[in-house]
Amino acid sequence: MYLIEIIKSRNLIDINIYTLIQMGAKVNILINRGEIYRLITSTFLHGGIMHILFNMSALNIIGKEVEYIYGSKKYILIYILSALSGSLFSYLFNPNSVSVGASGAIFGLLGAMLVFGLKEKNKIGKQYVKNILETLAINVIIGITISNIDNYAHLGGLIMGQYQH
């Protein structure tokens, strides 16, 4: 998808907002007009090279763990439901934003692993849970201090990921 964004936007580094909207970004007014598919399509779009690199790096790390622990089918289910939940939270609590990205789904994967770590802390140790909580805390700080980060999408994904057991 990012390759198509680059071609349409004619920019490798930053994808323009018009391209993102055209390709299915979360835009409440368009969703209200019946374009509900945007709640999912937005999660496969990214606003720039750094955005996709950070998301794919995180997905590479946490995704492998979730798939190993829960299996491929459950991993896909957690990912999709967390992505949708992130978009719904963004829709409800961040209505004026144009939102894209996989981070709601990634936060859902972190939520699933947090629950796993809490349930299995006697076997795997408390450090695992501490690492997940530190990762979440760092991302909250980043989300608060950098503009254009949809913290509601992160929260929605995180909550959904915790309920996928």
Side-chain angles (χ1 to χ4, degrees), residues 7-120:
I7 293 166
K8 286 181 163 282
S9 190
R10 297 180 183 190
N11 191 329
L12 171 70
I13 306 301
D14 289 308
I15 306 303
N16 71 56
I17 195 166
Y18 304 107
T19 298
L20 295 173
I21 292 169
Q22 180 188 32
M23 291 184 67
K26 188 227 67 157
V27 180
N28 280 27
I29 194 165
L30 297 175
I31 294 168
N32 293 341
R33 292 181 185 162
E35 297 181 21
I36 297 170
Y37 63 86
R38 291 175 176 277
L39 295 172
I40 288 293
T41 57
S42 61
T43 67
F44 294 99
L45 302 173
H46 290 83
I49 191 80
M50 294 307 294
H51 187 201
I52 195 167
L53 287 176
F54 278 118
N55 274 194
M56 294 307 103
S57 176
L59 184 59
N60 184 49
I61 295 165
I62 195 71
K64 287 178 183 177
E65 287 189 44
V66 173
E67 187 172 20
Y68 178 78
I69 298 299
Y70 293 103
S72 297
K73 290 179 184 176
K74 187 75 169 183
Y75 164 71
I76 292 168
L77 182 66
I78 294 168
Y79 186 93
I80 291 172
L81 290 177
S82 296
L84 182 59
S85 181
S87 289
L88 286 171
F89 265 59
S90 177
Y91 174 82
L92 293 170
F93 303 114
N94 200 4
N96 298 320
S97 71
V98 174
S99 295
V100 295
S103 54
I106 293 165
F107 270 74
L109 300 176
L110 285 167
M113 291 311 293
L114 177 61
V115 171
F116 169 79
L118 290 168
K119 285 182 177 179
E120 301 295 329

Side-chain angles (χ1 to χ4, degrees), residues 114-132:
L114 177 61
V115 171
F116 169 79
L118 290 168
K119 285 182 177 179
E120 301 295 329
K121 69 180 173 219
N122 293 332
K123 292 180 186 174
I124 62 174
K126 295 177 182 178
Q127 186 62 41
Y128 187 84
V129 171
K130 185 179 178 214
N131 290 344
I132 296 283

